[in-house]
Structures are given as structure tokens and as C-alpha cells.
Amino acid sequence: MIRKCLFPAAGYGTRFLPATKAMPKEMLPIVNKPLIQYAVEEARDAGLQQMAIVTGRGKRALEDHFDISFELEHQIRGTDKEKFLAGTRELIDTCSFSYTRQVEMKGLGHAILSGRSLIGDEPFAVVLADDLCLNLEGDGVLAQMLKLYAQYRCSIVAIQEVPREQTQKYGVIAGEQIREGLYRVDSMVEKPLPEEAPSNLAIIGRYILTPDIFDLIADTEPGKGGEIQITDALMKQARNGCVLAYKFKGRRFDCGSAKGYVEATNFCFEHLHQSDL
Ligand code: UTP
């Protein structure tokens, strides 16, 4: 079964400058918790314990976040502030964290390939922390996808319907619906113009990947934007065998954009955090 989750977190976060000049985008807080912690919690809640994070230059705060801060813990021990660190401490105690660096930012596909040594030859999950996914009604998105993986044993991408005029921001799939909300992918295009998009079903930042994806990425030439695109490698996988696309239950916020970030903050303040503040 799946044990590991990869978090590509090496991107420059240019849409969020100047905040991301010296700080990783994944450390931006939604209310009082950084995006990367929401992502790790989603993976942990899905039963995964081995967290593999692909970082880059200027991203050391990510490693420090998932480490013990003795001075700080000593300082707040026995006070009512202890509860603010309890969730982070629990992750540190129950999960393992490993890191590798993507030394050149050549795209998401390349970032995933950079994580190969941390994953090895087994299926794994991928979470993009800047896509915050929340489901107040039940399982998180990754848990929903892992249940499907147990049944179908192939790569799965999470999708959502987007307005046609936004297809240029996403990888877009088309395929045959095999049951409610589940498609067998037969075409996948990275950032298509609305008139060229095969549908309005956009891939968002959650994937389950089988390990043959690594060789397929290694054989993938740079595509749209000169980057090595995971969608191009997934399209090869779909042609060779099967890739599924799953319309998940829950809400997704694009926290790499100011609008999505503000929406996520308001949503979390209203629904999640009252007891912690
Ligand atoms: P994005 O394109 O949303 O992130 O990549 P970005 O490049 O950081 O942001 P902008 O567009 O400049 O504002 C999606 C995810 O893939 C990771 C990013 O960290 C983000 O989580 N990524 C992207 C990498 O790890 N390496 C890359 O070379 C590119």
C-alpha cells in the first residue's frame, strides 16, 4: 500500500512576491498555520507517515518547521500557549520527514523526478501545498484518492470543473466517465487555450503515482513554458495503461494566488480555527 507522500515545494512563488522573496510560499500562514502543515496533516489523516519534501534554495524554514525548537518549547511549557504547538509536535512525533533539493527549477515534473531517491520503487502520493483542499463533510481529498487506488491500482489525478476561460492555468483532461465523478483519461493537455481545451476538467494539486512515472518523466522533453511537465509524463502512462481522474469531494483554494489565499483565510477563520485562537 502507499506509505509515502511527496511535497514538491521548490517553486519560486513569483505570483506572491514580495512575500516569497526570502520565505517559502509553503510557509505562508492560513490564519495561524502554514500551508505546508495543512498539506502534511492531510497526508497523515490519509494514513501516510513518510513525508518527502522537495525543497530549493531559500526554503530552510520548511525543515525548521518540522523540527523541535527546544528553546521555544521550554519557554512556553506549562503556559496556555503550549496548545499552539501541540499539533505541530504531534506531526513531528508521528511522521518522518526527509528532504531533497531541486537544484534547478525546471517544472513540476522535474521536481517530482528530483524526489525519486526519497520515494524509491513504490507507489506514492503527491501534494502541492499551495492548493489547499478541505472537506468538512468527511475524508480529505488524499484519503478519498487512496481508497480509489486500493481498488484500481493505477495513477490517479484529482480534478475539478473550472470556468472555460480559466483552462490556461491548468492541465486539462478528457476521458470516458467510468462511474460518477471518475474518468479514464484519454487526453491531457497542459495549460490549453479555452478553445483548444478538451474539457473544463482541470487537474489540481493531488496525485497518486505509480513508480514507473519516474522513467517516463526522465524521458520527457521540456513542454509548455520550457518546463518538464508532469502532465506529459502522465499522458504517456495513460497511453501505455491507465490513468484515472477523480472529481473529489470538498473545496480547493489556489493559495498561490492572492484571491485564493484570501478566500482560504476567510474560510478557515470561519470554519476551522475558533478553538485555537
Ligand atoms: P506553481 O507554478 O504553482 O508554483 O507550481 P511556483 O512556480 O512556485 O509559483 P509561481 O507560478 O511562480 O507563482 C506548482 C507546485 O510545483 C512546485 C511549486 O513549489 C508548487 O508547489 N514546483 C514548481 C517545484 O517544486 N519545482 C518547480 O520547478 C516548479
Side-chain angles (χ1 to χ4, degrees):
M1 271 316 294
I2 296 188
R3 306 180 301 158
K4 297 183 181 179
C5 188
L6 188 71
F7 302 85
Y12 290 121
T14 52
R15 283 172 296 158
F16 236 104
L17 284 167
T20 48
K21 183 164 179 282
M23 182 184 86
K25 171 168 72 173
E26 297 74 15
M27 286 303 293
L28 286 170
I30 300 296
V31 191
N32 60 346
K33 190 158 64 172
L35 282 166
I36 190 72
Q37 186 168 335
Y38 286 92
V40 168
E41 285 176 355
E42 184 185 332
R44 186 269 321 267
D45 292 345
L48 309 184
Q49 284 173 333
Q50 297 185 39
M51 311 300 169
I53 304 183
V54 179
T55 67
R57 282 178 294 283
K59 301 271 188 172
R60 282 182 51 186
L62 290 169
E63 297 182 40
D64 290 339
H65 187 70
F66 295 110
D67 197 354
I68 291 171
S69 172
F70 285 107
E71 269 177 50
L72 184 60
E73 292 196 13
H74 175 74
Q75 190 71 25
I76 63 175
R77 186 162 301 137
T79 74
D80 62 357
K81 292 184 185 142
E82 248 184 328
K83 66 174 193 269
F84 295 129
L85 273 189
T88 318
R89 186 63 206 248
E90 195 196 330
L91 290 178
I92 296 168
D93 290 341
T94 55
C95 303
S96 70
F97 293 85
S98 55
Y99 300 87
T100 191
R101 277 197 182 201
Q102 185 188 16
V103 290
E104 283 179 283
M105 308 329 161
K106 293 192 200 162
L108 177 57
H110 183 259
I112 292 173
L113 186 59
S114 305
R116 184 177 201 165
S117 59
L118 302 179
I119 299 296
D121 190 25
E122 56 183 282
F124 61 103
V126 175
V127 170
L128 306 185
D130 51 350
D131 261 349
L132 176 63
C133 292
L134 298 167
N135 183 19
L136 299 180
E137 260 107 59
D139 282 346
V141 178
L142 215 51
Q144 296 168 36
M145 294 172 79
L146 286 174
K147 279 188 186 151
L148 282 175
Y149 179 79
Q151 199 179 343
Y152 292 96
R153 305 263 162 185
C154 64
S155 289
I156 305 170
V157 298
I159 50 167
Q160 80 173 155
E161 284 186 43
V162 296
R164 270 268 166 188
E165 62 274 15
Q166 289 183 18
T167 55
Q168 265 181 97
K169 297 202 284 186
Y170 299 93
V172 176
I173 69 114
E176 177 202 351
Q177 183 159 204
I178 56 175
R179 69 180 219 212
E180 177 70 29
L182 190 64
Y183 300 78
R184 176 190 283 266
V185 172
D186 48 42
S187 133
M188 202 180 275
V189 188
E190 185 60 32
K191 300 189 174 66
L193 294 169
E195 58 275 23
E196 286 162 12
S199 76
N200 69 337
L201 297 173
I203 302 173
I204 60 106
R206 300 290 179 280
Y207 307 76
I208 305 287
L209 299 175
T210 52
D212 53 312
I213 198 72
F214 291 125
D215 282 341
L216 295 171
I217 300 172
D219 278 343
T220 299
E221 295 295 321
K224 262 272 161 62
E227 297 191 331
I228 297 177
Q229 300 289 353
I230 186 64
T231 39
D232 293 341
L234 276 165
M235 195 51 229
K236 292 185 211 165
Q237 219 178 25
R239 271 193 225 105
N240 296 347
C242 181
V243 172
L244 296 176
Y246 169 59
K247 218 195 267 182
F248 64 93
K249 297 186 180 65
R251 287 195 63 169
R252 170 245 173 198
F253 299 92
D254 172 14
C255 296
S257 74
K259 184 169 178 288
Y261 180 79
V262 171
E263 284 168 3
T265 303
N266 288 333
F267 183 87
C268 287
F269 187 70
E270 199 175 323
H271 294 282
L272 298 182
H273 278 276
Q274 285 90 338
S275 60
D276 291 343
L277 293 173

